[in-house]
């Protein structure tokens, strides 16, 4: 909302100082600060409001140490995170940017699905919450919107340069370029690491390419969203991991949206993607601010309102930046948590069918509960998972030089 105002003041009235709003770094910094202020300063008021309305966590007895102490802890704290993302983005981002519009829709859409799930659990006293099939339908819906927009919208382009940028004696040579509609993405750990979906899927017919791309978008959004949801099982794990991933994505967004840096690093330049830095900064601020109250021992839980939104936003950010194939590494914690559940359930069903009794690979799934069962304190588990998350983020960023 402020962006067009300050743009007018700078271009038309030429008021000194208003031009600072043209700089992404300034607006991203302001977005992060406002996001932190919303979560940290107003967080305890929101928590008290939730507590006064008896919106508390219903804890199932899983036989985990300290589990009973969590009963009644205020939940649906994801509403705080959503506000801390939306308000700074609306204030400082260019709201005409298609990528920002997509992320605002994703945040509200998945936040609403999570809110319905939490509402049913808390107010209807139904521990199962929203039926799984309805969650999937909602995730498919946002996947269709995101996939179709990225495929068809005219502003979603990549820039192809005919000659590389050279920097000699402080003079930048501006190369000839062309903005093209292309379904290019980045393959990690390979030189010349661009993959064009149209080349990969073209043999199935031109009309099938958008359908298959939309299916890819649906799969990625659903998988990462559910991965974040599963990871949100102990204090601070999902929020901290998401902040780490958000920082890596913010770096990608800044570099991919800058013609000079993208050419210097020989990575894909995506026009208008620099605005995503503002959204990513608000996202990081919301996660860190929420950790102020969610770190062990948690004063509030994000609930599905927050966890489904976090994963979905990360997935859409990766898709818009053409980094979706980096997700298995960048979101490795989410992936492992997801796989641990799938492996546990599949093996249990297989052994029950074959031997008449179900057997387990892990003491409990998801993986963080396995370590809890081994007697490791949850604060130590979370810290170790964060360390792994940081290492995975560094590995992901290292792919910038593997071209």
């Amino acid at each position: 909302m402020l962006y067009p105002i300050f743009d007018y003041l700078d271009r038309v009235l030429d008021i000194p100082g208003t031009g600072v709003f043209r700089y992404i770094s300034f607006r991203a910094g302001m977005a992060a600060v406002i996001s932190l202020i919303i979560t940290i300063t107003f967080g305890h008021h929101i928590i008290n409001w939730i507590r006064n309305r008896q919106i508390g966590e219903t804890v199932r007895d899983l036989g985990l140490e300290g589990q009973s102490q969590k009963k009644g802890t205020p939940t649906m704290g994801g509403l705080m995170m959503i506000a801390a993302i939306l308000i700074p983005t609306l204030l400082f981002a260019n709201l005409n940017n298609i990528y920002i519009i997509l992320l605002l829709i994703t945040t509200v859409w998945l936040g609403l699905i999570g809110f319905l799930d939490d509402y049913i659990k808390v107010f209807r006293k139904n521990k199962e919450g929203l039926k799984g099939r309805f969650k999937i339908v909602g995730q498919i819906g946002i996947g269709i919107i995101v996939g179709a927009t990225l495929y068809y919208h005219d502003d979603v382009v990549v820039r192809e340069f005919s000659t590389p940028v050279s920097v000699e004696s402080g003079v930048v040579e501006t190369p000839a370029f062309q903005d093209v509609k292309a379904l290019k993405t980045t393959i990690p750990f390979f030189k010349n690491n661009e993959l064009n979906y149209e080349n990969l899927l073209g043999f199935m017919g031109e009309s099938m390419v958008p359908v298959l791309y939309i299916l890819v978008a649906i799969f990625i959004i659903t998988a990462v969203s559910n991965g974040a949801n599963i990871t949100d099982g102990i204090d601070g794990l999902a929020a901290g991991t998401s902040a780490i991933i958000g920082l890596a994505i913010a770096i990608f967004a800044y570099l991919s949206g800058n013609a000079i840096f993208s050419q210097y690093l020989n990575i894909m330049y995506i026009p208008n993607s620099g605005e995503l830095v503002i959204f990513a900064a608000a996202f990081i601020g919301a996660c860190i601010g929420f950790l102020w109250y969610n770190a062990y021992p948690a004063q509030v839980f994000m609930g599905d309102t927050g966890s489904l939104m976090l994963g979905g936003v990360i997935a859409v950010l990766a898709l818009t930046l053409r980094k979706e194939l980096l997700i298995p590494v960048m979101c490795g914690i989410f992936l492992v948590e997801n796989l641990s559940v799938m492996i546990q359930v599949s093996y249990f069903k297989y052994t029950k069918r074959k031997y008449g009794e179900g057997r387990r690979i892990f003491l409990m799934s998801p993986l963080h509960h396995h370590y809890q069962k081994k007697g490791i304190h949850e604060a130590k588990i979370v810290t170790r998972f964060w360390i792994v998350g940081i290492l995975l983020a560094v590995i992901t960023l290292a792919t910038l030089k593997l071209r």
Side-chain angles (χ1 to χ4, degrees):
M1 295 178 182
L2 295 178
Y3 180 81
I5 295 173
F6 278 84
D7 184 57
Y8 176 82
L9 294 175
D10 178 46
R11 289 189 301 102
V12 179
L13 301 182
D14 196 24
I15 297 177
T18 54
V20 72
F21 254 72
R22 291 187 291 111
Y23 296 101
I24 286 173
S25 55
F26 172 79
R27 289 185 286 132
M30 290 300 297
V33 169
I34 296 299
S35 182
L36 282 168
I37 290 173
I38 291 171
T39 47
I40 295 177
T41 305
F42 299 105
H44 66 281
H45 296 296
I46 298 171
I47 292 169
N48 289 335
W49 181 84
I50 294 172
R51 184 182 289 114
N52 292 337
R53 280 152 184 78
Q54 297 182 334
I55 306 175
E57 181 76 1
T58 302
V59 179
R60 292 183 298 171
D61 185 11
L62 301 175
L64 297 171
E65 182 182 352
Q67 185 184 16
S68 60
Q69 300 170 9
K70 299 178 184 291
K71 186 175 181 179
T73 302
T75 188
M76 298 174 76
L79 292 172
M80 185 196 322
M81 302 181 75
I82 291 172
I85 292 172
L86 293 181
I87 293 171
T89 302
L90 291 172
L91 285 175
F92 297 106
N94 179 1
L95 300 182
N96 293 321
N97 185 290
I98 186 58
Y99 300 125
I100 294 295
I101 293 170
L102 271 181
L103 282 157
L104 290 174
I105 292 171
T106 302
T107 303
V108 174
W109 186 293
L110 290 173
L112 180 59
I113 293 172
F115 176 81
L116 290 173
D117 184 64
D118 289 334
Y119 181 87
I120 293 170
K121 288 176 182 175
V122 174
F123 293 101
R124 298 291 180 86
K125 307 301 180 183
N126 183 342
K127 294 182 181 179
E128 298 302 319
L130 188 66
K131 296 290 185 183
R133 61 179 178 271
F134 295 120
K135 287 185 185 179
I136 294 296
V137 168
Q139 290 166 330
I140 289 173
I142 191 63
I144 291 171
I145 292 171
V146 171
T149 302
L150 292 178
Y151 184 85
Y152 289 109
H153 200 281
D154 291 338
D155 290 343
V156 180
V157 295
V158 295
R159 182 162 295 177
E160 295 181 348
F161 294 91
S162 59
T163 57
V165 169
S166 62
V167 182
E168 295 179 0
S169 304
V171 178
V172 178
E173 177 189 341
T174 304
F177 63 84
Q178 181 181 13
D179 290 343
V180 297
K181 290 286 294 179
L183 290 181
K184 289 184 177 181
T185 190
T186 305
I187 307 175
F189 311 118
F190 287 93
K191 291 189 175 182
N192 302 316
N193 59 352
E194 289 184 1
L195 170 70
N196 194 323
Y197 284 108
E198 292 174 333
N199 295 336
L200 183 66
L201 305 174
F203 72 93
M204 302 187 72
E206 187 175 337
S207 61
M208 287 299 296
V209 172
V211 175
L212 293 170
Y213 180 74
I214 290 170
L215 289 175
V216 169
I218 290 171
F219 172 77
I220 291 170
I221 292 171
T222 302
V224 181
S225 181
N226 289 333
N229 185 238
I230 290 171
T231 303
D232 183 36
I234 51 180
D235 300 349
L237 181 55
T241 303
S242 296
I244 294 165
I245 297 169
L247 179 59
I249 289 176
I251 294 171
F252 276 125
Y254 187 79
L255 297 176
S256 297
N258 186 293
I260 303 300
F261 288 145
S262 62
Q263 284 295 288
Y264 177 74
L265 293 169
N266 197 23
I267 61 175
M268 196 184 306
Y269 174 60
I270 307 169
N272 304 315
S273 66
E275 285 294 313
L276 293 175
V277 180
I278 291 108
F279 185 93
F283 179 87
I284 296 165
C287 290
I288 294 174
F290 185 76
L291 268 177
W292 189 268
Y293 300 101
N294 184 239
Y296 180 85
Q299 297 171 255
V300 65
F301 298 138
M302 68 174 69
D304 284 16
T305 307
S307 59
L308 287 174
M309 177 274 297
L310 288 179
V313 162
I314 288 170
V316 175
L317 280 167
L319 283 164
T320 54
L321 291 169
R322 318 297 178 106
K323 301 293 184 289
E324 65 269 23
L325 297 185
L326 295 174
I327 285 176
V329 180
M330 184 166 54
C331 302
I333 298 295
F334 294 167
L335 175 64
V336 169
E337 294 275 48
N338 240 337
L339 287 176
S340 69
V341 174
M342 294 169 63
I343 292 169
Q344 184 88 322
V345 172
S346 299
Y347 187 73
F348 184 86
K349 289 181 177 179
Y350 169 75
T351 53
K352 188 172 184 178
R353 187 170 58 250
K354 186 170 183 179
Y355 303 111
E357 62 174 355
R359 300 176 184 176
R360 293 174 173 84
I361 294 176
F362 305 104
L363 296 176
M364 183 180 286
S365 65
L367 188 61
H368 55 261
H369 287 328
H370 169 78
Y371 290 114
Q372 279 186 286
K373 281 287 190 180
K374 293 183 74 172
I376 303 175
H377 195 278
E378 66 176 279
K380 181 172 285 189
I381 296 169
V382 170
T383 303
R384 288 176 175 176
F385 273 52
W386 286 354
I387 292 170
V388 173
I390 292 169
L391 292 174
L392 292 173
V394 170
I395 292 170
T396 304
L397 292 170
T399 61
L400 288 171
K401 296 301 293 179
L402 295 177
R403 287 194 63 181

